[in-house]
């Protein structure tokens, strides 16, 4: 058989040396050994040598087809087709010795070549460095034995030189990480922990830090985190996932041909760990409930909250995809399909392992791959900006068979020339192909224009032989990201349960963000604005359903009103589409089912169109990026009696929240209408800004520069919005407010929830003694009569209100008394402005003398007490009868 790399004899002379005659007395490995002979390919001559040659040829073919064989031993110079080998019987003894010497020289050269290669691979990892990077020097086991068995088995199948090279890389990476993280555990320890062991380790780490740094002496946020078990559990989980992703790549436990033991996307070991963590998360959430602070009796199980949130997220993503496709189709925009992949050095094991252009770099793990794909994303965006394009669309991240990340972009631009320019620039920057006619060994990055007739830009046909469309590619790119992920998981079924689990495990392992929208007004948190308007819509729908009156509350802000009107139409279309599809299951035949599906598609298209209009009104895209048709529609919907046609979009309402670690962060709690206060040119001059500051009552020194005046305006609470005509609108957040949640909620465990409910019920209805245990007693001293309630004079209150009212009028304030309509605690159902006479009438009615409650008919000087009080009173004097 072929020579084993890394194994060398003690001496270089032939094992048939006549000096060694007694095998038992000879030194080790220097006597007669068939195993030693087989390592050099020497088993005599004739048929035995032909068997060796056949084995060498078989190994060479297997190495070319399978990546399981890492190294192919060079074939000796004498092949089976050589005349010398085919006529060995005709050779003389001297010729046979010469052939043997040539064979042995070749084997020795191959052996020295292998030793040199091994020394080159391990040159950067000496014994001192290995001891330095080793995280546990007392552990004498090899890296292969210290790894989980699922990963160690892959290393054991490799040649020794390759195994040692990969072991050294793991030691070095783990040592670098531990020095940077200062973790109290070794990566070998946490790598083999399940979810429950990881939680125990987190509790131990938090307990140790609490003893070393007591809360009374160390109150910083960093110490507060390290005393928290939950914080340690999250941190150890992240470190375990980082180590797991790197080790499964280095050991080649994932990717390549889908064979037994080497699955796709993630390794089987990673999938089992992911399912353990998911089961533990489900177990924790089972014991938690979401309660309302003002009324703890209103409770929702956290499992139901999680399921509703996942379903709503998936439904929103599908609706937005349909909305964008509808928009692009109606505006006639062209769509580019761009694929961004990584070079072969980031791929641990590919399907074309034997013909790949670049080998895997062991220093590059999943973290480096995610960083590289993000850098390439910025290069794509810079490429588009260099062509003065503001694209609309999205990207989805997906795993390759080896788990390496790649991204699909779907970008829409106004014209065909812009789309082709994007493709040309992208190919010049990224693509590995010079033309589209050749296949190449690895297509890598590529870009095409959907629906283009030019062969240089057209997309390839799908697997069904049909031309690709924007809808088909959108479905392909979002086949994982738009699915509703369930916390409970599931077995492999028609919905692809196994594929869903592997994609979820891949996303969990890398902490990857698998989707993002492009072209949105990100500074205004468009997703949060959409969610707030949708939440208000659902609240009003529930209120109308309970009351039976169709009195939907629309805000006074014109753009929020238009957005809610379109969202209401969208919701109704979605509901009708769901009802129609439910009837599809009862269809008599396929023709009837197709007709029902066609009706559902019509309703879905209507829902997408109303969602598009709602997004334009809510300002999901910047107003300056809207198409002329969209601007004309928006002006027509927002025009008021004064002819104002450029209403500002709503703005997110942010509120400072403090975490349990006393760290403050800004959270979006609702939306607020923007009220325009002034307008200046795109590049305002100093005189314009001074006039604007004077209009809003801001005192600015005349000698200040334009930049300083803008800074003063921003510090005073004014913001700027670039309008489609190029001007800048200055506004403040004094408009109407819509909150995302009208009530405050908190997450507690079941025991705490029961305690809060009991406390709330006691505060709501004070406990009363049992009437059967009460007794009437007579006291010697008479009970003092109750004091009469003194009511204020109505006329005096009216005079005070009139003086306050006229003070407001003289100050130039608006007419009418407001119950603070912008107070977030009141929400959208705040009371409207009332006239002065109506308010005085309400106050006058409230100040009338109220009828006094009737006193209980009890004998004079009597008192009602319970049994315990009665016994205590009997022991005292002062009672003449009971």
């Amino acid at each position: 058989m072929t020579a084993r790399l890394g194994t060398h004899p003690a001496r270089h002379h032939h094992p048939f040396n006549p000096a060694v005659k007694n095998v038992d007395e000879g030194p080790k490995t220097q006597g007669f050994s068939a195993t030693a002979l087989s390592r050099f390919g020497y088993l005599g001559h004739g048929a035995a040598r032909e068997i060796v040659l056949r084995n060498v040829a078989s190994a060479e073919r297997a190495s070319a087809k399978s990546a399981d064989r890492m190294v192919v031993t060079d074939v000796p110079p004498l092949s089976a087709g050589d005349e010398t080998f085919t006529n060995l019987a005709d050779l003389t003894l001297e010729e046979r010795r010469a052939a043997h010497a040539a064979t042995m020289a070749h084997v020795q050269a191959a052996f020295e070549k292998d030793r040199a290669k091994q020394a080159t691979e391990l040159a950067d990892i000496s014994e001192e460095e290995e001891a330095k990077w080793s995280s546990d020097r007392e552990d004498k086991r090899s890296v292969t034995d210290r790894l989980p068995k699922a990963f160690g088995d892959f290393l054991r199948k490799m040649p020794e030189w390759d195994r040692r090279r990969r072991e050294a890389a793991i030691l070095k990476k783990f040592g670098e990480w531990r020095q940077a993280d200062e973790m109290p555990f070794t990566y070998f320890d946490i790598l083999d922990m399940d979810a429950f062991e990881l939680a125990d380790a987190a509790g131990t780490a938090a307990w140790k830090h609490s003893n070393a740094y007591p809360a009374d002496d160390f109150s910083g946020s960093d110490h507060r985190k390290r005393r928290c078990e939950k914080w340690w559990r999250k941190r150890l989980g992240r470190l375990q996932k980082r180590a797991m992703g790197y080790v499964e790549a280095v050991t080649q436990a994932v990717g390549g041909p889908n064979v037994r033991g080497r699955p796709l996307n993630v390794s089987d070991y990673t999938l089992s760990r992911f399912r353990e963590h998911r089961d533990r998360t489900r177990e924790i959430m089972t014991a938690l409930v979401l309660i309302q602070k003002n009324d703890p009796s209103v409770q929702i199980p956290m499992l139901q909250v999680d399921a509703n949130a996942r379903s709503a997220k998936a439904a929103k993503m599908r609706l937005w995809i349909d909305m964008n496709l509808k928009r692009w189709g109606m505006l006639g925009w062209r769509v580019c399909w761009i694929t961004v992949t990584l070079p072969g050095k980031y791929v641990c094991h590919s399907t074309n392992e034997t013909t790949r252009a670049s080998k895997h770099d062991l220093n590059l793990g999943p973290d480096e791959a995610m960083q590289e794909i993000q850098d390439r994303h910025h290069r794509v965006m810079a490429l588009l900006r260099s062509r003065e394009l503001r694209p609309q669309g999205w990207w989805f991240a997906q795993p390759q068979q080896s788990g390496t990340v790649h991204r699909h972009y779907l970008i829409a631009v106004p014209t065909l020339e812009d789309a082709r320019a994007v493709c040309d620039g992208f190919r010049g920057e990224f693509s590995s192909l010079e033309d589209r006619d050749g296949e190449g060994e690895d297509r890598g990055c590529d870009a095409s224009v959907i629906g283009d007739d030019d062969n240089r830009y057209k997309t390839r046909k799908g697997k069904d032989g049909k031309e690709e469309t924007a809808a088909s590619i959108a479905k392909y790119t979002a086949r994982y990201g738009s699915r509703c992920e369930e916390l409970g998981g599931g077995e492999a079924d028609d919905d692809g349960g196994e594929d869903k689990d592997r994609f979820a495990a891949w996303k969990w392992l890398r902490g990857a963000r698998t989707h993002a929208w492009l072209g949105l007004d990100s500074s205004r948190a468009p997703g949060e604005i959409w969610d707030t308007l949708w939440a208000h819509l659902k609240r009003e729908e529930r209120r109308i359903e309970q009351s039976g009156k169709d009195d939907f509350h629309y805000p006074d802000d014109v753009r929020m009103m238009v957005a809610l009107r379109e969202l209401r139409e969208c919701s109704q279309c979605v509901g009708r589409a769901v009802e129609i599809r439910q009837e599809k299951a009862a269809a008599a035949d396929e023709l009837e089912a197709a007709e029902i599906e066609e009706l559902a598609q019509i309703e879905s298209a209507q829902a997408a169109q109303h969602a598009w209009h709602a997004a334009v009104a809510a300002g999901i895209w910047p107003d300056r990026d809207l198409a002329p048709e969209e601007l004309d529609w928006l002006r027509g919907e927002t025009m008021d009696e004064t002819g104002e046609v450029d209403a500002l979009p709503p703005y997110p309402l942010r509120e400072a929240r403090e975490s349990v670690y006393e760290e403050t962060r800004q959270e979006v709690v609702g939306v607020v209408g923007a009220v325009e206060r002034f307008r200046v040119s795109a590049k305002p001059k100093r005189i314009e800004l001074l006039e604007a500051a004077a209009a809003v009552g801001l005192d600015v020194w005349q000698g200040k520069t334009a930049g300083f005046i803008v800074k003063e305006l921003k510090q005073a609470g004014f913001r700027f919005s670039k309008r489609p005509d190029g001007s800048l609108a200055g506004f403040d957040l004094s408009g109407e407010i819509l909150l995302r949640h009208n009530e405050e909620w908190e997450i507690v465990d079941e025991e705490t929830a029961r305690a809060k409910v009991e406390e709330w019920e006691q505060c709501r209805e004070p406990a009363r003694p049992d009437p059967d245990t009460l007794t009437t007693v007579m006291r010697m001293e008479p009970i003092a009569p109750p004091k009469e309630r003194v009511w204020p004079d109505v006329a005096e209150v009216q005079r005070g209100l009139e003086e306050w009212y006229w003070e407001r009028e003289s100050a130039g304030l608006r007419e009418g008394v407001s119950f603070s309509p912008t107070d977030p605690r009141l929400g959208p159902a705040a009371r409207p402005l009332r006239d002065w006479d109506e308010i005085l009438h309400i106050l006058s009615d409230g100040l009338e003398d109220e009828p006094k409650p009737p006193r209980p008919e009890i004998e004079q000087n009597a008192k009602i007490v319970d049994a315990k009080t009665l016994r205590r009173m009997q022991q005292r004097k002062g009672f003449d009868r009971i």
Side-chain angles (χ1 to χ4, degrees):
M1 298 179 65
T2 57
R4 292 177 54 186
L5 299 178
T7 303
H8 54 86
R11 296 175 61 182
H12 299 302
H13 61 72
H14 193 269
F16 281 140
N17 190 340
V20 182
K21 303 212 175 174
N22 192 334
V23 178
D24 296 334
E25 297 178 359
K28 187 177 180 180
T29 72
Q30 292 189 7
F32 180 85
S33 173
T35 304
L37 292 177
S38 64
R39 292 172 181 172
F40 290 92
Y42 182 80
L43 286 176
H45 57 273
R49 185 179 291 272
E50 292 179 0
I51 293 175
V52 171
L53 294 176
R54 286 199 299 268
N55 291 338
V56 170
S58 176
E60 184 181 13
R61 289 192 300 269
S63 300
K65 294 181 180 179
S66 173
D68 292 337
R69 184 68 60 89
M70 296 295 104
V71 179
V72 180
T73 305
D74 296 336
V75 180
L78 300 180
S79 61
D82 198 321
E83 182 180 357
T84 306
F85 267 80
T86 54
N87 301 308
L88 286 176
D90 301 334
L91 296 179
T92 62
L93 180 60
E94 290 75 9
E95 291 175 342
R96 292 181 182 180
R97 290 178 177 177
H100 168 67
T103 303
M104 291 304 301
H106 176 78
V107 171
Q108 183 65 24
F111 172 73
E112 295 295 339
K113 181 180 178 182
D114 172 66
R115 290 291 300 274
K117 182 178 181 180
Q118 179 179 344
T120 303
E121 296 287 352
L122 300 177
D124 55 339
I125 304 296
S126 61
E127 293 182 0
E128 292 77 9
E129 288 180 325
E130 183 172 335
K132 175 184 176 181
W133 295 119
S134 178
S135 54
D136 191 0
R137 281 171 287 185
E138 285 74 16
D139 195 339
K140 301 303 181 180
R141 296 176 298 168
S142 65
V143 174
T144 302
D145 296 332
R146 295 165 66 184
L147 290 176
K149 185 177 182 301
F151 294 142
D153 290 343
F154 283 96
L155 287 178
R156 294 184 183 95
K157 297 177 182 178
M158 298 181 184
E160 183 179 356
W161 70 271
D162 199 12
R163 182 174 66 253
R164 291 186 58 189
R165 181 171 66 97
R166 296 176 186 272
E167 288 178 347
I170 294 174
L171 277 178
K172 183 177 180 180
K173 183 68 71 172
F174 281 6
E176 292 174 349
W177 285 348
R178 191 178 181 189
Q179 284 189 349
D181 296 334
E182 298 180 357
M183 187 181 60
F185 302 94
T186 67
Y187 279 91
F188 289 101
D189 293 337
I190 67 172
L191 190 60
D192 203 19
M193 292 182 182
D194 58 18
F196 301 94
E197 294 173 345
L198 205 66
D200 295 339
T204 302
W207 175 77
K208 288 183 178 179
H209 196 85
S210 299
N211 293 337
Y213 302 93
D216 297 336
D217 301 332
F218 302 91
S219 58
S221 61
D222 184 64
H223 290 292
R224 192 174 290 107
K225 290 178 181 178
R226 292 177 180 272
R227 286 191 293 265
C228 178
E229 179 182 350
K230 182 179 179 181
W231 182 86
W232 275 106
R233 189 166 60 245
K234 288 184 177 179
R235 186 182 182 215
L236 293 180
R238 289 194 298 267
L239 297 179
Q240 183 190 47
K241 289 185 288 186
R242 180 169 67 170
M244 200 182 307
Y246 179 77
V247 171
E248 78 172 11
V250 172
T251 59
Q252 295 186 340
V254 61
N258 189 8
V259 298
R260 182 178 180 83
R262 182 179 287 141
L264 306 182
N265 301 339
V266 293
S267 62
D268 290 338
Y269 181 82
T270 301
L271 182 61
S272 63
R273 286 289 178 259
F274 164 71
R275 288 173 174 171
E276 289 173 358
H277 282 273
R278 186 179 59 187
D279 294 341
R280 174 169 173 77
T281 302
R282 183 179 181 85
E283 179 183 347
I284 294 174
M285 295 183 66
T286 304
L288 299 177
V289 292
L290 182 69
I291 65 172
Q292 194 178 109
K293 286 188 176 181
N294 295 333
D295 187 1
S297 62
V298 180
Q299 302 179 3
I300 307 175
M302 280 304 299
L303 284 178
Q304 181 180 351
V305 174
D306 179 79
N308 294 342
R310 293 173 185 269
S311 177
K313 180 182 178 181
K316 174 186 174 183
M317 183 177 295
R318 294 167 184 169
L319 179 60
W320 277 35
I321 290 176
D322 293 342
M323 173 185 71
N324 280 276
L325 294 176
K326 184 70 174 180
R327 182 191 183 205
W328 302 340
M330 296 294 292
L331 296 177
W333 286 5
R334 307 309 297 262
V335 183
C336 299
W337 180 20
I338 298 176
T339 302
V340 178
T341 59
L342 294 178
K345 61 182 180 180
Y346 293 94
V347 182
C348 63
H349 196 277
S350 62
T351 53
N352 57 342
E353 186 70 21
T354 57
T355 59
R356 59 190 298 174
S358 57
K359 300 299 181 181
H360 176 219
D361 189 349
L362 297 182
N363 295 322
L364 302 178
D367 292 347
E368 290 78 9
M370 297 300 297
Q371 183 62 42
E372 177 64 20
I373 200 70
Q374 187 64 19
D375 293 343
R376 295 194 169 207
H377 166 76
H378 293 308
R379 290 167 61 185
V380 172
M381 294 295 102
L383 176 65
L384 298 174
R385 286 192 295 268
S386 65
R387 284 161 172 75
E388 298 182 355
L389 296 175
R390 300 181 66 87
Q392 314 288 333
W394 63 80
W395 61 259
F396 278 98
Q398 295 178 2
Q400 294 177 341
Q401 293 183 349
S402 61
T404 309
V405 63
H406 70 285
R407 287 183 181 179
H408 292 286
Y409 290 78
L410 216 61
I411 297 176
V413 292
T415 63
L416 179 61
E417 289 73 16
D418 292 338
R420 291 179 175 178
V422 169
C423 291
D424 291 337
F426 182 84
R427 291 174 183 173
E429 182 76 14
F430 293 98
S431 183
S432 60
L433 291 180
E434 296 296 334
D435 59 342
R436 293 184 55 84
D437 296 331
E439 289 294 333
E441 65 179 28
D442 186 6
R443 290 196 54 82
C445 303
D446 196 15
S448 57
V449 181
I450 300 176
D452 197 343
D453 297 333
D454 194 333
N455 291 330
R456 296 174 299 172
Y457 304 102
K458 66 182 302 185
T459 58
R460 299 193 173 192
K461 294 183 179 181
K463 294 182 179 179
D464 55 358
K466 299 180 181 179
E467 295 290 342
E468 296 285 4
T469 62
S472 64
I473 295 179
K475 184 178 180 180
Y476 168 74
T477 58
R479 66 186 186 274
Y480 293 119
S482 61
R483 290 179 177 178
C484 180
E485 300 177 3
E486 299 177 359
L487 184 61
E491 301 296 332
D493 50 18
D494 295 340
D495 297 332
E498 180 72 17
D499 292 342
K500 289 173 61 176
D501 274 5
R502 289 199 173 275
F503 176 77
W506 174 81
K507 187 169 65 172
W508 166 82
L509 179 66
R510 284 164 170 76
R513 183 183 181 185
T514 58
H515 171 260
W517 303 99
L518 302 176
L520 305 185
D521 194 354
S522 58
S523 63
R524 291 179 46 258
E528 302 290 344
I529 293 177
W530 179 280
D531 294 340
T532 301
L533 295 176
W534 190 268
H536 176 75
L537 168 68
K538 293 305 177 182
R539 282 198 302 266
E540 289 296 307
E541 287 181 351
R542 289 192 296 267
R543 184 183 61 81
I544 292 174
E545 184 179 358
Q546 294 174 0
S547 63
K549 299 179 181 179
D550 191 3
D551 54 347
F552 192 92
H553 170 73
Y554 290 102
D556 296 333
D557 185 85
V558 59
R559 292 194 64 162
M560 284 197 288
M561 184 270 294
V562 175
L564 280 173
R565 185 195 66 195
E566 296 295 331
L567 279 181
R568 191 179 183 189
E569 294 290 338
C570 173
S571 178
Q572 293 174 358
C573 292
V574 170
R576 289 193 294 267
V578 172
E579 293 177 357
I580 293 174
R581 285 193 170 93
Q582 290 176 353
E583 299 176 358
K584 182 180 177 181
D589 51 13
E590 295 182 359
L591 181 60
E592 183 180 356
E595 294 176 354
I596 294 176
E597 180 62 26
E598 184 177 357
L599 295 177
Q601 291 291 341
I602 294 175
E603 293 294 338
S604 298
Q606 290 294 327
Q609 184 168 1
H610 287 296
W612 169 30
H613 291 165
V616 172
I620 302 300
W621 301 287
D623 290 348
R624 63 182 181 274
D625 293 344
L626 297 178
E629 298 84 351
E630 294 173 319
L631 289 174
D632 293 341
W633 174 85
L634 185 60
R635 293 191 184 100
E637 295 293 332
T638 58
M639 184 179 297
D640 55 10
E641 295 80 1
T642 61
E644 181 64 33
V645 295
D646 191 14
L648 299 179
Y651 207 83
L653 178 64
R654 292 183 171 91
E655 183 177 305
R657 298 289 179 87
E658 190 178 65
S659 66
V660 294
Y661 308 120
E662 296 184 359
E663 294 179 345
T664 304
R665 63 183 184 275
Q666 296 289 331
E667 290 187 359
V668 178
V669 298
V671 296
V672 56
V675 180
E676 183 176 347
R677 298 302 184 185
F678 58 87
R679 185 166 294 208
V680 294
S681 59
K683 296 182 179 180
K685 298 182 180 179
R686 188 174 64 88
I687 189 64
E688 292 182 79
L689 294 173
L690 287 174
E691 294 176 355
V696 297
L698 184 62
D699 188 13
V700 181
W701 183 46
Q702 298 291 329
K704 294 297 182 179
T705 61
F708 181 84
I709 300 175
V710 171
K711 183 178 179 180
E712 290 288 330
L713 288 170
K714 290 183 178 180
Q715 291 180 352
F718 295 95
R719 306 165 188 263
F720 293 89
S721 174
K722 189 173 183 181
R723 309 310 303 152
D725 58 0
S727 61
L728 290 177
F731 64 93
D732 59 11
L733 304 180
S734 59
E736 188 173 1
I737 289 176
L738 290 181
L739 291 181
R740 186 170 182 178
H741 304 290
N742 284 345
E743 301 291 344
E744 293 187 3
W745 301 78
E746 62 177 342
I747 301 174
V748 297
D749 53 26
E750 294 179 347
E751 183 178 354
T752 305
R754 287 192 295 267
K756 286 182 176 292
V757 171
E758 294 177 359
E759 181 182 357
W760 176 74
E761 290 178 350
Q762 292 176 0
C763 296
R764 183 182 181 185
E765 297 182 1
R768 298 179 179 179
D770 188 359
D772 297 337
T773 63
L774 298 181
T775 306
T776 303
V777 299
M778 180 64 66
R779 300 183 60 180
M780 293 296 295
E781 299 84 3
I783 301 175
K787 296 181 180 180
E788 296 184 358
R789 184 176 181 182
V790 180
W791 293 92
D793 184 35
V794 176
E796 183 179 353
V797 174
Q798 290 182 351
R799 285 194 300 272
L801 290 173
E802 288 177 357
E803 292 177 0
W804 173 76
Y805 172 76
W806 290 116
E807 288 178 0
R808 288 174 54 86
E809 285 292 321
S810 61
L813 300 177
R814 63 176 184 173
E815 186 177 359
V817 181
S818 171
F819 289 92
S820 183
T822 59
D823 189 348
R825 292 170 296 180
L826 297 179
R831 299 180 181 180
L833 299 180
R834 299 182 182 273
D835 295 333
W836 172 247
D837 296 335
E838 184 180 359
I839 292 176
L840 285 181
H841 178 70
I842 295 174
L843 294 175
S844 301
D845 292 343
L847 296 178
E848 295 293 337
D849 291 340
E850 296 181 355
K852 299 177 178 54
R855 296 179 58 81
E857 297 180 359
I858 304 176
E859 187 177 354
Q860 187 178 7
N861 294 334
K863 182 181 180 181
I864 300 176
V865 297
D866 55 10
K868 183 177 181 181
T869 306
L870 176 62
R871 288 192 300 271
R872 188 169 60 251
M873 294 173 64
Q874 288 175 343
Q875 297 175 1
R876 298 166 55 189
K877 296 181 180 181
F879 296 92
D880 56 354
R881 67 184 178 88
I882 297 178

